Amino acid sequence: MSSVTSARGNVEVMLPSFETERLFLRPRIMADLKASLAMDRNAEVTRFIPGPWQEPVQHEAFVRQRIEAKYGNGLGYWSIFAKSDPQRFVGWVLLIPLDAVGPDVEIGWRLQRSSWGRGYATGATVRIVRHAFTTVRLPGIVAEIDADNLASRRVAEKIGMVVAGRTDHGGRSGLRYLMTQSDYLAVTKE
């Protein structure tokens, strides 16, 4: 991971790129905007996620803001690409302050409908969880998932997160998943 010195003299850690057995993950950039917008417009993809997905101006402004925002050292969005087709945008995974404000740090993922059921979400999130606990050294991460979103709940459980309570998820019943650094270390023995 490299760093740069900001105009204020603060050292900022740039987001690293990652490689897994089947995926490439790199920091999300403005070149990913069009693919991100198209993914969000698929009603199946955003079925459980409140947002301006069908309002073109607001939707684009929202995604642009998320791409350009600074979330803190080691935090942000990564675009996902399959090694089998490295030019095709698969989706993204994030590690940012909850709802972009915190104080908790959330992990989240969104994939193109055509990429569902291939293990890409689990593969990408496992790598970001490792980054969260071994590089950023977070005390814990959360994921707030609509109770009816069984596929995302399975991903959270596969990566070792446990239900820690209920939450309101855009006016719908949601579950709050949690993983602490000690949970992670107990499973991985790092």
Side-chain angles (χ1 to χ4, degrees), residues 129 132-133 138-142 159-162 164 177-188:
V129 166
F133 291 124
L138 294 172
I141 57 174
V142 299
I159 65 173
M161 299 186 90
V162 296
Y177 282 81
L178 172 69
M179 177 186 281
T180 66
Q181 186 177 62
S182 58
D183 294 337
Y184 174 78
L185 293 174
V187 171
T188 61

Side-chain angles (χ1 to χ4, degrees), residues 85-107:
D85 188 2
Q87 300 306 312
R88 188 178 67 84
F89 176 82
V90 168
W92 53 252
V93 61
L94 63 76
L95 185 67
I96 66 171
L98 182 63
D99 292 329
V101 294
D104 293 330
V105 174
E106 72 175 307
I107 188 166

Side-chain angles (χ1 to χ4, degrees), residues 78-157:
W78 288 264
S79 290
I80 306 167
F81 301 87
K83 286 184 175 179
S84 61
D85 188 2
Q87 300 306 312
R88 188 178 67 84
F89 176 82
V90 168
W92 53 252
V93 61
L94 63 76
L95 185 67
I96 66 171
L98 182 63
D99 292 329
V101 294
D104 293 330
V105 174
E106 72 175 307
I107 188 166
W109 50 91
R110 187 171 310 158
L111 274 64
Q112 299 276 8
R113 176 63 185 97
S114 61
S115 297
W116 291 3
R118 299 177 185 208
Y120 294 155
T122 301
T125 54
V126 162
R127 186 60 191 93
I128 299 304
V129 166
R130 180 175 172 203
H131 169 71
F133 291 124
T134 63
T135 303
V136 185
R137 299 199 180 281
L138 294 172
I141 57 174
V142 299
E144 292 189 352
I145 302 172
D146 187 292
D148 292 332
N149 189 341
L150 300 179
S152 283
R153 290 176 57 191
R154 279 193 295 274
V155 170
E157 291 162 6

Side-chain angles (χ1 to χ4, degrees), residues 10-138:
N10 299 329
V11 175
E12 297 177 14
V13 177
M14 296 179 62
L15 284 185
S17 293
F18 298 112
E19 188 174 332
T20 72
E21 185 176 316
R22 300 186 318 136
L23 302 171
F24 294 114
L25 286 74
R26 65 150 169 76
R28 188 163 78 154
I29 58 176
M30 204 53 74
D32 302 326
L33 177 65
K34 186 176 178 182
S36 293
L37 293 172
M39 176 179 66
D40 291 349
R41 285 187 200 112
N42 182 319
E44 284 184 84
V45 171
T46 55
R47 176 178 168 199
F48 299 109
I49 307 156
W53 319 130
Q54 302 307 317
E55 302 293 332
V57 173
Q58 295 92 331
H59 182 200
E60 183 170 335
F62 175 83
V63 176
R64 281 182 180 278
Q65 185 277 327
R66 287 290 180 111
I67 290 173
E68 294 172 342
K70 303 292 184 216
Y71 297 103
N73 287 338
L75 304 179
Y77 279 77
W78 288 264
S79 290
I80 306 167
F81 301 87
K83 286 184 175 179
S84 61
D85 188 2
Q87 300 306 312
R88 188 178 67 84
F89 176 82
V90 168
W92 53 252
V93 61
L94 63 76
L95 185 67
I96 66 171
L98 182 63
D99 292 329
V101 294
D104 293 330
V105 174
E106 72 175 307
I107 188 166
W109 50 91
R110 187 171 310 158
L111 274 64
Q112 299 276 8
R113 176 63 185 97
S114 61
S115 297
W116 291 3
R118 299 177 185 208
Y120 294 155
T122 301
T125 54
V126 162
R127 186 60 191 93
I128 299 304
V129 166
R130 180 175 172 203
H131 169 71
F133 291 124
T134 63
T135 303
V136 185
R137 299 199 180 281
L138 294 172

